[in-house]
Amino acid sequence: MSATVPRPGEVTGVPHPGWMDPLLAACTDGSFDGLLPKRKPPEDRGPNEVGRPHRDAAVLVLFSGDPAAPGPRPPKNARVLLTHRAPTLRSHSGQVSFPGGGVDDTDSGPVEAALRESWEETGLDAAGVDVLAVLPELYIPVSNYSVAPVIGYWREPMEVDVVDPGETSRVMTVYLDELLDPANRFLLRHSTGWTGPAFQHDDLVIWGFTAGILAAMFHSAGWDLDWDTADIRDLEQTLAESGNGERHGMSAEEARREHAGPGADRTVAGVPGVSAEFDDDDNDHSAATPDAGQGAGAGSAAAAGAAAAADQSDSPVGEEPLDLPADNPRRGYR
């Protein structure tokens, strides 16, 4: 890691494998950001429209793989670290996510927060991680979080596993080849018209914020293979049939706030050329359609954005969780 603490939008200059060059280039030239929704937090970074306080958060996007592989594509042994949150949690139950959480007052910034949370969730030794960049913050309207993805290279991979079964169900290092396989990629759509990219890993479905980040990284780095963006599956049914064990669905209000926040657009994370259309008056079902000028081959559906919610750990006992939905403060939001 660099001597100074990197902040959102900064790269550390730490050496990295050649195969990661396209990804780091995309994260510094704006290609990655251009594939994500354009949404902004309240100007004063204060409470949102329903009074939810704003909070900074960070997630660790940790890659491993042959350090000598030249690229430009990832080597066969390239992986990314993911967790499957316990289905019994009150918030984010059953979600597949990057390790991460809120930035505490004792953290020096998003890097320390991401590494601390990763250690708490998986036992990851930060000494074996090279921090390469802290990406610009992504705003999550429904929870009023600004989330900074921290890109790392696992220079010294170690054994990681579940630390607290009450919080984490599984810890996985998933092959990028598996995630990039067109057979494991599709779109999920909510009845309101909210649509997002998704990946299949064993019996788990990766969707929401995590899938959006991965999809945007893969496409901007030029790692994508041709996959069927017309493969659109029902969100609730797909999750019910998966091994995620997610207890909470996405409400119409949650979906509305994902696309109706200040500065929101219809950008599809990692799936350029398509956009989602919503009926903003009554939230009736509305199919996603290709952008004007795109042929049918661009795909007949799209995602309303990268984020269903930030990948956060449960709040400490006695602290009000910051990731609850506006329409039902007793129910956790992924």
Side-chain angles (χ1 to χ4, degrees):
M1 225 168 84
S2 62
T4 58
V5 178
R7 298 292 174 180
E10 297 179 351
V11 295
T12 62
V14 173
H16 55 270
W19 61 269
M20 294 190 73
D21 280 343
L23 175 60
L24 268 294
C27 290
T28 54
D29 67 9
S31 301
F32 170 78
D33 293 347
L35 291 171
L36 297 172
K38 311 301 184 291
R39 296 179 295 194
K40 298 179 180 179
E43 289 187 6
D44 60 358
R45 295 176 81 88
N48 62 9
E49 64 186 52
V50 295
R52 300 222 62 80
H54 180 271
R55 190 176 182 186
D56 293 322
V59 295
L60 181 64
V61 187
L62 184 59
F63 294 99
S64 63
D66 186 354
R73 294 192 58 79
K76 291 293 184 182
N77 66 345
R79 302 188 188 196
V80 65
L81 178 65
L82 297 173
T83 68
H84 176 217
R85 290 175 55 77
T88 53
L89 288 174
R90 65 180 179 180
S91 62
H92 308 290
S93 62
Q95 179 185 9
V96 180
S97 64
F98 302 118
V103 178
D104 290 346
D105 292 339
T106 55
D107 294 325
S108 61
V111 170
E112 186 171 350
L115 293 174
R116 172 183 53 77
E117 288 280 352
S118 298
W119 172 72
E120 292 175 1
E121 296 174 19
T122 73
L124 175 72
D125 183 0
V129 175
D130 287 334
V131 175
L132 306 181
V134 183
L135 303 186
E137 297 168 313
L138 306 172
Y139 180 57
I140 314 300
V142 72
S143 57
N144 202 14
Y145 270 65
S146 292
V147 186
V150 176
I151 296 184
Y153 174 64
W154 212 349
R155 174 175 31 85
E156 299 177 10
M158 57 170 287
E159 197 72 27
V160 288
D161 205 349
V162 172
V163 173
D164 180 1
E167 179 178 346
T168 306
S169 178
R170 300 186 225 177
V171 172
M172 305 160 283
T173 53
V174 182
Y175 285 105
L176 297 193
D177 268 4
E178 178 185 345
L179 297 176
L180 291 167
D181 186 341
N184 293 324
R185 303 196 63 178
F186 50 94
L187 295 173
L188 291 178
R189 184 167 61 199
H190 185 264
S191 58
T192 60
W194 182 95
T195 314
F199 301 83
Q200 188 77 41
H201 169 62
D202 295 337
D203 63 334
L204 301 176
V205 174
I206 305 165
W207 71 290
F209 179 88
T210 303
I213 293 295
L214 289 171
M217 285 186 171
F218 293 164
H219 188 87
S220 62
W223 295 345
D224 261 354
L225 301 175
D226 188 23
W227 61 283
D228 184 9
T229 57
D231 183 358
I232 313 161
R233 307 178 191 181
D234 179 76
L235 172 65
E236 300 293 348
Q237 179 180 346
T238 301
L239 293 180
E241 294 173 351
S242 74
N244 289 34
E246 299 193 33
R247 293 182 297 150
H248 310 300
M250 175 187 283
S251 71
E253 173 63 13
E254 292 165 352
R256 181 194 69 79
R257 298 195 65 213
E258 281 299 318
H259 70 80
D265 60 16
R266 302 298 195 260
T267 300
V268 180
V271 191
V274 289
S275 62
E277 294 182 359
F278 293 85
D279 185 336
D280 293 321
D281 293 328
D282 58 15
N283 282 322
D284 283 343
H285 169 79
S286 175
T289 58
D291 281 343
Q294 295 294 326
S300 61
D311 303 64
Q312 309 303 325
S313 62
D314 262 16
S315 304
V317 175
E319 177 184 338
E320 181 186 13
L322 300 182
D323 49 5
L324 296 178
D327 62 335
N328 187 344
R330 303 302 302 170
R331 181 163 61 82
Y333 182 76
R334 287 159 314 283

